[in-house]
Amino acid sequence: MFKTLKEDIQNIFAKDPTAKNTLEVILCYPGLHAIWIHLIAHWFYRKKMYTIARIISHISRHITDIEIHPGAKIGRRFFIDHGMGVVIGETTEIGDDVLMYQGVVLGGTSLEKKKRHPTLENNVVIGAGAMVLGAINIGNNARIGAGSVVVTDVPPDATVVGVPGRIGLGFSAKEIQTLEHGKLPDPIADAIRFVMKEQEKLEERIKKMETLEGITRHIDEQIEKKKKEIESTFFCKGKEEFSKGEGI
């Protein structure tokens, strides 16, 4: 037990650069308080003392503003940063070294008494305000961008963004190590850029055919102007700008 508590404290120092000293971590981190109180509530839940378990989790909710159902299974070194508004459902399973930010919901999508909440494997990061819904699996090292809504399985090492969540290109090993989860891919912008490139190829082929046949065509100036505006948006902006949500 004491080894687990010590490990949780060390984990906060490793994942939160604002942590200054052990006393501050013990007294001022609601995410840590919620996890420690959950250990007690979960013990009663496993002993089938459900009412006591729920009372303990209810008290924890009022103290920390984090709601963790006593039935949820949580692995080692789980860290909820800030924590306000986090909800973790009854049949949720969380692996080791998972990092979660404020406003995250691990919710269910069924009224049946069965597995209905997500399973998070090891080393998963979930950004602020994201929702992971249903009995789905989030693979090892997956990253879920802030504000995303995930309703399908996510493979290992993938990055998910958007509503509904779409799988992007993923993170480099360096970004995973340095926790640069703010640099998110934009699969929608990638798709639009791909379509525009294919359209450009088709237009070039048509132009060659028209030249061979001696056909001339009148180009609508307004359409051509609008096309150049779109091209400047999706081709001239750098990847860094798209990662910040610009150009969409």
Side-chain angles (χ1 to χ4, degrees), residues 11-235:
N11 184 47
I12 289 176
F13 282 111
K15 293 182 177 178
D16 187 0
T18 66
K20 298 298 188 293
N21 56 70
T22 301
L23 183 62
E24 177 199 18
V25 169
I26 293 174
L27 296 179
C28 303
Y29 276 73
L32 182 64
H33 302 157
I35 293 168
W36 283 355
I37 297 173
H38 173 74
L39 293 175
I40 301 170
H42 187 62
W43 185 88
F44 281 103
Y45 188 88
R46 286 190 292 108
K47 298 297 181 181
K48 297 185 178 180
M49 301 180 187
Y50 300 125
T51 303
I52 297 175
R54 287 303 300 271
I55 290 172
I56 294 171
S57 67
H58 193 64
I59 293 171
S60 174
R61 176 186 178 185
H62 284 281
I63 295 173
T64 64
D65 283 318
I66 298 170
E67 181 176 343
I68 306 177
H69 193 284
K73 299 177 181 178
I74 296 177
R76 297 168 59 187
R77 296 178 297 278
F78 176 44
F79 178 34
I80 305 174
D81 199 0
H82 301 292
M84 180 74 71
V86 167
V87 177
I88 300 175
E90 179 185 19
T91 60
T92 300
E93 298 176 58
I94 298 175
D96 298 335
D97 300 300
V98 171
L99 173 60
M100 187 180 298
Y101 287 86
Q102 68 273 14
V104 170
V105 175
L106 304 182
T109 55
S110 172
L111 297 178
E112 297 181 30
K113 294 182 181 295
K114 61 179 184 179
K115 171 70 172 171
R116 57 191 185 279
H117 296 90
T119 296
L120 277 56
E121 296 185 9
N122 300 329
N123 200 35
V124 172
V125 174
I126 305 182
M131 295 188 181
V132 186
L133 305 175
I136 60 176
N137 191 80
I138 310 299
N140 291 323
N141 304 311
R143 299 292 188 266
I144 297 175
S148 301
V149 177
V150 184
V151 293
T152 58
D153 291 343
V154 177
D157 303 305
T159 304
V160 177
V161 293
V163 181
R166 294 178 175 85
I167 296 174
L169 300 177
F171 280 74
S172 67
K174 181 181 178 181
E175 287 171 334
I176 290 174
Q177 185 177 3
T178 57
L179 196 61
E180 295 187 40
H181 55 269
K183 294 184 178 180
L184 298 174
D186 192 330
I188 296 176
D190 290 340
I192 293 174
R193 285 197 293 268
F194 174 78
V195 170
M196 291 186 67
K197 285 181 180 178
E198 292 300 308
Q199 179 180 326
E200 186 176 338
K201 291 179 183 178
L202 288 172
E203 288 181 351
E204 287 296 323
R205 293 174 65 181
I206 292 172
K207 187 183 292 185
K208 289 179 180 179
M209 292 176 62
E210 289 177 340
T211 302
L212 291 173
E213 296 294 329
I215 301 173
T216 59
R217 60 173 180 161
H218 176 71
I219 299 176
D220 189 320
E221 294 182 357
Q222 287 297 111
I223 294 177
E224 191 66 20
K225 181 181 178 181
K226 190 64 179 177
K227 178 185 172 184
K228 291 185 181 300
E229 290 177 3
I230 295 173
E231 287 177 345
S232 66
T233 298
F234 286 96
F235 289 97

